[in-house]
Amino acid sequence: MIRETRLVENFLDMVKISSPSKDERAMGDYLIKVLEEIGLEVKEDNAGELNGGNCGNIIGILKAPGKKRLLFSAHMDTVVPCEKVIPVVENGIVKSDGTSILGGDDKGGIASIIEMLRVIKENNLEHPEIVVVFSIAEEVGLLGSKSFDIDSYKVDFGFILDSSGKPGKIVTKAPSAARGTIKIIGKPAHAGISPESGINALTVAAHAITKIKLGRIDLETTSNIGLVSGGQATNIVMPSVVLDYEARSLSNEKLNYLLEETFETFKVVCKEFGAKIEWNIKVEYPGFALEDNEEVIEIVKIACKKLGIASETVSSGGGSDTNIYNSKGIPCVNLAVGMSKVHTLEEYIEIKDLVDLSKILIEIIKG
């Protein structure tokens, strides 16, 4: 039932559409047209307006009164560079020409959802009520899913298509994440005439950094300082420095403890040097953990078994819209799309994986 040529052509059409975070208008218009042509009831919400973007989440509904409601979702935005994506098809693989990302993250997920919908309509397949959400600004903080009013759709389960790896991989656990800045405020002074009258903010930060936990803390927890910025000139004792920090953990308790411990360490060191601290770290999204016997997981496993595709449940170190929907009380899993080397110029996806994922989605709706 899957029409491979059509699936691939749709994917190629979409990756050519530039859709950086908060600038998804062209992609949104394309998807509205496609969903309406298939026969869905289509809406656009105000997520763009709420988050400073030019497009809202695109929502499509394929009704089936009296049946369960299933959510299928993928995000429209991509990382940069994505201004002029030139896809290359070679030996069953789609890649970019090396001057941009490909955008399989997450247009591979979108392509398989669209193919599923087309197959349903063409073959008059029985199906549950389907709610499709193509979200905005996922790459910059899951903003689209945070703004989506999922409660009003009374969804029973959700399948988010946004993981690397082969179709059949089911992400059932993902961490909470906290991000933000730590600003150390010292005191400027002339670096050559009177450095002793100043407080070098970088020195303070360096002493604190030697005392905090960074990198892999344990199997569930990580911590990182990714950016450091500050200073005015080489002849001025650095008056302030800003550290961009993030921490993640599958355990909310461990994450909170790590954040408290890190803050206390910086505070104590700042006091020793007479410096000040501005702590602006917030939990960006909550984690989730589903038991392997939950119905939403069993549905995927059964679908894969029927197709002879190996399935496995795994834990992820990254966040996705799946985190947000689970936090809103909707049991959701993140399904692997087949995307590889995402967020790089070497990104690629195998056509077979797009086909296999589409087949899995069809089996899911057939129940």
Side-chain angles (χ1 to χ4, degrees), residues 186-224:
K187 182 181 178 182
H190 194 289
I193 298 174
S194 56
E196 61 279 350
S197 66
I199 302 172
N200 192 306
L202 184 60
T203 300
V204 179
H207 276 76
I209 289 169
T210 63
K211 300 176 184 293
I212 66 171
K213 296 174 182 176
L214 290 172
R216 170 70 64 184
I217 311 303
D218 58 36
L219 290 176
E220 296 183 318
T221 313
T222 60
S223 173
N224 186 54

Side-chain angles (χ1 to χ4, degrees), residues 153-190:
Y153 291 88
K154 302 188 185 307
V155 170
D156 292 289
F157 306 115
F159 306 91
I160 317 306
L161 283 63
D162 189 23
S163 177
S164 58
K166 292 289 186 182
K169 188 179 83 171
I170 311 163
V171 177
T172 59
K173 297 178 182 179
S176 299
R179 289 195 181 99
T181 58
I182 305 168
K183 185 175 183 179
I184 308 300
I185 303 170
K187 182 181 178 182
H190 194 289

Side-chain angles (χ1 to χ4, degrees), residues 33-340:
K33 184 173 182 292
V34 169
L35 292 177
E36 287 178 341
E37 287 174 350
I38 295 172
L40 277 71
E41 177 185 313
V42 183
K43 303 176 182 178
E44 179 178 340
D45 68 11
N46 66 343
E49 180 182 343
L50 293 174
N51 293 288
N54 62 7
C55 180
N57 297 314
I58 306 302
I59 303 128
I61 302 171
L62 190 59
K63 292 192 173 181
K67 294 181 178 288
K68 283 188 175 181
R69 288 184 178 177
L70 303 186
L71 169 72
F72 293 88
S73 183
H75 62 87
M76 294 187 283
D77 63 316
T78 67
V79 297
V80 294
C82 62
E83 186 60 35
K84 292 182 180 179
V85 176
I86 301 175
V88 176
V89 182
E90 189 174 275
N91 298 323
I93 292 174
V94 185
K95 57 185 179 180
S96 80
D97 67 349
T99 63
S100 71
I101 54 96
L102 174 63
D105 179 11
D106 192 20
K107 292 172 184 176
I110 295 175
S112 290
I113 291 173
I114 290 174
E115 184 63 19
M116 171 194 73
L117 295 170
R118 283 174 167 156
V119 170
I120 289 171
K121 296 293 284 188
E122 289 170 351
N123 296 275
N124 197 28
L125 297 181
E126 260 194 59
H127 60 85
E129 185 144 309
I130 294 172
V131 178
V132 173
V133 179
F134 298 131
S135 63
I136 66 163
E138 189 272 350
E139 297 286 6
V140 291
L142 317 180
L143 302 182
S145 55
K146 287 178 180 178
S147 302
F148 176 53
D149 181 18
I150 194 171
D151 291 341
S152 66
Y153 291 88
K154 302 188 185 307
V155 170
D156 292 289
F157 306 115
F159 306 91
I160 317 306
L161 283 63
D162 189 23
S163 177
S164 58
K166 292 289 186 182
K169 188 179 83 171
I170 311 163
V171 177
T172 59
K173 297 178 182 179
S176 299
R179 289 195 181 99
T181 58
I182 305 168
K183 185 175 183 179
I184 308 300
I185 303 170
K187 182 181 178 182
H190 194 289
I193 298 174
S194 56
E196 61 279 350
S197 66
I199 302 172
N200 192 306
L202 184 60
T203 300
V204 179
H207 276 76
I209 289 169
T210 63
K211 300 176 184 293
I212 66 171
K213 296 174 182 176
L214 290 172
R216 170 70 64 184
I217 311 303
D218 58 36
L219 290 176
E220 296 183 318
T221 313
T222 60
S223 173
N224 186 54
I225 293 173
L227 292 172
V228 179
S229 56
Q232 297 173 334
T234 59
N235 62 352
I236 301 174
V237 172
M238 189 182 290
S240 66
V241 65
V242 177
L243 313 175
D244 283 42
Y245 174 80
E246 75 151 42
R248 306 183 189 210
S249 183
L250 292 170
S251 164
N252 289 331
E253 182 180 355
K254 287 181 180 179
L255 179 64
N256 291 333
Y257 180 81
L258 175 63
L259 294 177
E260 290 173 7
E261 183 181 54
T262 303
F263 173 64
E264 286 301 319
T265 299
F266 271 97
K267 190 167 69 171
V268 168
V269 173
C270 283
K271 186 176 181 180
E272 289 174 359
F273 282 84
K276 297 179 181 179
I277 181 173
E278 291 182 2
W279 177 267
N280 186 31
I281 308 295
K282 297 179 181 178
V283 175
E284 189 174 55
Y285 54 81
F288 70 93
L290 301 178
E291 297 297 327
D292 278 0
N293 61 355
E294 294 218 25
E295 187 174 356
V296 66
I297 299 170
E298 287 300 316
I299 289 170
V300 182
K301 287 182 176 179
I302 291 170
C304 290
K305 187 175 181 179
K306 287 179 180 178
L307 295 166
I309 295 173
S311 65
E312 63 171 336
T313 56
V314 299
S315 173
S316 172
S320 70
D321 289 340
T322 322
N323 292 62
I324 304 304
Y325 296 137
N326 274 294
S327 75
K328 294 182 178 183
I330 310 299
C332 292
V333 289
N334 188 1
L335 302 184
V337 175
M339 53 178 104
S340 297

